[in-house]
């Protein structure tokens, strides 16, 4: 079983990589404005609180879906235990290919098709913010798919619904916490978000390299021994 102390920060890092993906990060200000039904500039303190509530409901919406997926992957991993090593090897190959795509070394056309939220959903209500979060998880864009797939494989390797759900909850935090921070200081964050676009090439290269590394470890069967070894280096809990 590969899940352990080390895979938890790995799941959080995967969430951060999803937030900084080229089809999430540039659209965060517009997304927040759409959720609240208000302009993303000139927010006073009262509007900041309102924006935070909508952002939290949005994160809760996609978080519930991701946790359910993680729990299902954990259960599926237990059911498929006899052939799980073969599944991991196939998954490793897929992750290597997806990593090459994210890094820009190859192009996979269907992964370049964005699936954005239907604008018919009316922003500005609490219920719609939660619903948009659910829609985000169900099919926002293939951009977060490769990174999410890597964490789902770790959830399957855990072979328990609880650990699978925990890994995807941590992934949700990695994706959701930056979103909440931007919602809190939106005006100050706007120049920073625009500046980050200049480094998108570096972000994509790092994301692709991490996926390729993960794929290599899964394909060669080195991932689980590496996790056990890294976990053995961690100090025991108090």
């Amino acid at each position: 079983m590969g899940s352990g102390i080390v895979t938890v920060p790995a799941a959080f890092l995967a969430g951060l990589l999803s937030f900084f993906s080229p089809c999430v990060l540039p659209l965060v200000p517009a997304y927040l404005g759409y959720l609240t039904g208000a302009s993303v500039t000139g927010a006073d303190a009262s509007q900041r609180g309102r924006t935070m509530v909508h952002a939290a409901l949005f994160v809760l919406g996609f978080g519930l879906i991701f946790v359910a997926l993680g729990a299902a992957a954990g259960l599926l991993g237990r059911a498929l235990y006899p052939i799980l090593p073969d599944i991991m090897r196939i998954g490793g190959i897929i992750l290597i290919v997806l990593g090459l795509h994210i890094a820009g070394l190859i192009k996979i056309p269907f992964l370049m098709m964005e699936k954005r939220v239907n604008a018919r959903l009316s922003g500005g209500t609490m219920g719609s913010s939660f619903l948009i979060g659910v829609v985000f998880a169900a099919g926002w864009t293939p951009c977060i798919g490769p990174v999410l797939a890597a964490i789902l494989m770790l959830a399957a390797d855990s072979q328990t619904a609880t650990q699978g759900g925990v890994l995807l909850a941590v992934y949700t935090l990695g994706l959701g916490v930056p979103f909440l921070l931007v919602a809190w200081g939106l005006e100050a964050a706007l120049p920073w978000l625009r500046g980050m676009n200049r480094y998108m090439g570096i972000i994509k290269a790092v994301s692709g390299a991490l996926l390729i590394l993960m794929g290599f470890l899964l394909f060669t069967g080195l991932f689980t021994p590496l996790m056990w070894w890294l976990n053995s280096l961690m100090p025991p809990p108090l």
Side-chain angles (χ1 to χ4, degrees), residues 188-210:
L190 286 176
W192 176 80
L193 288 172
R194 285 192 287 266
M196 285 299 297
N197 287 330
R198 295 178 297 183
Y199 303 102
M200 198 58 66
I202 297 175
I203 293 172
K204 291 170 66 176
V206 171
S207 301
L210 290 174

Side-chain angles (χ1 to χ4, degrees), residues 26-198:
L27 299 174
V28 169
Y31 222 128
L32 287 171
Y34 178 67
L35 288 174
T36 61
S39 171
V40 296
T41 59
D44 55 23
S46 61
Q47 190 174 359
R48 173 187 291 172
R50 181 170 177 267
T51 302
M52 283 293 295
V53 171
H54 282 280
L57 288 170
F58 171 72
V59 172
L60 178 63
F62 69 70
L64 288 177
I65 299 299
F66 288 153
V67 170
L69 286 175
L75 286 175
L76 191 61
R78 177 175 289 274
L80 298 177
Y81 177 76
I83 60 172
L84 194 58
D86 293 327
I87 294 175
M88 289 298 173
R89 280 192 286 270
I90 295 172
I93 295 173
I94 293 173
L95 287 184
I96 291 172
V97 173
L98 293 175
L100 292 171
H101 167 77
I102 288 181
L105 299 177
I106 63 174
K107 291 185 178 180
I108 304 176
F110 79 90
L111 288 179
M112 302 175 72
M113 295 165 47
E114 296 186 0
K115 298 178 181 178
R116 299 186 180 177
V117 173
N118 190 337
R120 293 175 185 174
L121 292 172
S122 59
T125 67
M126 303 298 179
S128 67
S129 294
F130 176 82
L131 180 59
I132 293 170
V134 172
V135 174
F136 175 95
W140 165 250
T141 174
C143 253
I144 68 170
V147 179
L148 179 60
I151 299 304
L152 286 174
M153 286 185 188
L154 298 187
D157 191 38
S158 74
Q159 300 174 40
T160 70
T162 300
Q163 291 193 44
V166 167
L167 280 178
L168 269 294
V170 175
Y171 171 83
T172 298
L173 286 176
L175 177 58
V177 168
F179 197 94
L180 293 174
L181 291 176
V182 172
W184 177 257
L186 189 54
E187 278 194 278
L190 286 176
W192 176 80
L193 288 172
R194 285 192 287 266
M196 285 299 297
N197 287 330
R198 295 178 297 183

